[in-house]
Amino acid sequence: MNNEQVRFERLVAGGDALGHLADGRVVFVPGALPGELVDVQITQAKKDFARGTVASIIEPSEHRVAPPCEHVARGCGGCSWQHLDVAQHMEAKVAIVREALRRNGKIETLEVVAGGFVPPTASRTTLRMAVTPDGRLGFRRGGSHDVIDTPTCLVAHPLLNEFIGDVRVTGATEATLRCGVATGEVGIWLHDEDGEDVHGATVTGLPSHVVVGRKEMLHEVVQGVSLQVSMASFFQASQVAAELLVSAVNDAAGDAALSGEYGPIIDAYGGVGLFTATLVDTDIPVVLVESNPSACSDARSNLHDHDVSIEQIAVEQWRVQDAGLVIADPARNGLGAMGVNAIVATEAKRIVLVSCDAVAGARDVRLLLDAGYACEGVTVLDLFPNTPHVEVVSSFSRSQTAK
Ligand SMILES: C[S@@+](CC[C@H](N)C(=O)[O-])C[C@H]1O[C@@H](n2cnc3c(N)ncnc32)[C@H](O)[C@@H]1O
């Protein structure tokens, strides 16, 4: 396909730069930056939009930097914003969230503020890595299924980095690596791309203290609380991220709601019980709704001294009960209409929504507004440094006219 010179306008959800072709169609290009004039090779041309790659940069942005990680030049697509000065990341993420609210949520008026951020290197305590054909660990090439081996990883915690390059895997296509900063515990779990165990998969090259398998349990300390986290359970990407997110949810919920003043608390998509364990006193009634059996098992252990009912079920199928506060922290696809319906049916006075996708989050904000909730604040956290991923914490209060 042909090449065309494009002046880029902004970064969009997913991390690509957006510009316009001479015929008016938008074009999305990874690796370009706002303000830059780029010679773009068009790789996909549709009626309304096109995609392309950077053939050469004619006028670079003042915010373009040499990627700090050596593996980017070899094609590693794990951190797709390493060409953007890290000092610009938060502003870019806030702009992406604002644009998603405007475009996908049809909301112009909400104030979006910047919250906390994770240091750009050496912080990740959970990494999902892919396996090369010769058994090494790495990440996929941007926009491709190919795996680039990465014997080290800029964002990984040192407890993981010390052995990534020595690992050899047979029989599995992916591995989850996790460590506990507070305890020094380290684990690895081999699986396929759907997160399913692979019978007969093996791993060599691990230090003797690294435990292997989906059922292995590590421990992490957040806000002074020790949490059991099995290898197959979801946990925030880093210990610092967990600390920042808990603080943001605390601020968004408010003391009255967290102290049970408005009624019971629903910890929806509650995982291993991070929010309840760190934010809610043990005598306040909580219902934790979580579909993953491993996470529920960890939550039972982590919350054994709490007044909690742990319901292992999808939120959309959960038998709704009245609540004073709902904290909802869904996976990337967000709440959707069914998740919103369940949460709204609790008639909670306050809702805190944690969204890890700007577009799905904007849709969910719209649905909550339409259901009669008022949005009181939107805070963007940067929990995934060097990537375009956002974490958004929004707070809502129920209005008199709520459905
Ligand atoms: C982003 S994680 C948040 C977990 C927890 N709040 C935390 O911060 O550690 C989302 C959680 O929702 C769970 N989950 C995914 N889909 C679900 C659903 N439809 N209903 C209930 N839980 C779900 C996942 O297993 C995961 O534990």
Side-chain angles (χ1 to χ4, degrees), residues 233-236 245 267-275 289-292 295 313-316 329-333 356 391:
S233 302
F234 172 89
F235 197 66
Q236 298 298 330
L245 187 58
D267 190 349
Y269 310 86
V272 304
L274 173 69
F275 297 137
V289 188
E290 163 63 48
S291 59
N292 180 277
I313 191 167
V315 167
E316 308 80 54
D329 182 11
R332 195 138 287 177
N333 49 354
C356 53
E391 195 83 5

Side-chain angles (χ1 to χ4, degrees), residues 101-122:
L101 285 167
R102 193 186 68 77
R103 193 178 168 78
N104 304 94
K106 308 285 176 236
I107 304 160
E108 305 273 355
T109 49
L110 278 179
E111 194 192 357
V112 180
V113 300
F117 60 91
V118 166
T121 62

Side-chain angles (χ1 to χ4, degrees), residues 48-281:
D48 302 330
F49 72 94
R51 295 189 187 282
T53 55
V54 174
S56 66
I57 298 165
I58 300 159
E59 291 174 19
S61 160
E62 58 179 322
H63 301 308
R64 178 170 286 279
V65 293
C69 174
E70 59 185 306
H71 305 306
V72 174
R74 297 173 48 238
C76 177
C79 299
S80 62
W81 267 11
Q82 290 211 12
H83 58 296
L84 174 62
D85 183 352
V86 75
Q88 300 299 313
H89 286 199
M90 179 60 94
E91 197 180 311
K93 291 185 185 196
V94 169
I96 284 172
V97 171
R98 229 177 244 138
E99 176 63 10
L101 285 167
R102 193 186 68 77
R103 193 178 168 78
N104 304 94
K106 308 285 176 236
I107 304 160
E108 305 273 355
T109 49
L110 278 179
E111 194 192 357
V112 180
V113 300
F117 60 91
V118 166
T121 62
S123 55
R124 274 198 82 141
T125 51
T126 298
L127 275 184
R128 185 163 171 165
M129 301 188 75
V131 179
T132 63
D134 65 350
R136 294 165 200 267
L137 293 179
F139 295 96
R140 294 189 199 285
R141 190 183 285 279
S144 160
H145 208 67
D146 296 350
V147 183
I148 307 291
D149 76 289
T150 56
T152 55
C153 172
L154 184 76
V155 297
H157 191 277
L159 286 167
L160 302 179
N161 250 335
E162 68 185 15
F163 69 92
I164 288 174
D166 300 327
V167 168
R168 298 294 178 272
V169 173
T170 56
T173 51
E174 293 197 352
T176 295
L177 283 63
R178 176 170 282 157
C179 61
V181 175
T183 57
E185 295 168 326
V186 187
I188 185 168
W189 166 38
L190 308 179
H191 49 80
D192 63 14
E193 285 156 40
D194 298 322
E196 299 292 337
D197 280 322
V198 186
H199 182 68
T202 62
V203 56
T204 60
L206 296 173
S208 57
H209 64 281
V210 180
V211 296
V212 182
R214 68 178 294 140
K215 294 202 167 134
E216 292 294 340
M217 293 164 193
L218 310 188
H219 297 82
E220 187 57 278
V221 175
V222 182
Q223 308 258 329
V225 179
S226 177
L227 296 163
Q228 170 185 308
V229 186
S230 298
M231 289 303 294
S233 302
F234 172 89
F235 197 66
Q236 298 298 330
S238 67
Q239 192 268 351
V240 194
E243 294 278 0
L244 290 172
L245 187 58
V246 166
S247 292
V249 168
N250 185 29
D251 294 346
D255 290 345
L258 284 168
S259 65
E261 204 173 290
Y262 307 139
I265 296 171
I266 312 296
D267 190 349
Y269 310 86
V272 304
L274 173 69
F275 297 137
T276 298
T278 54
L279 293 177
V280 185
D281 285 347

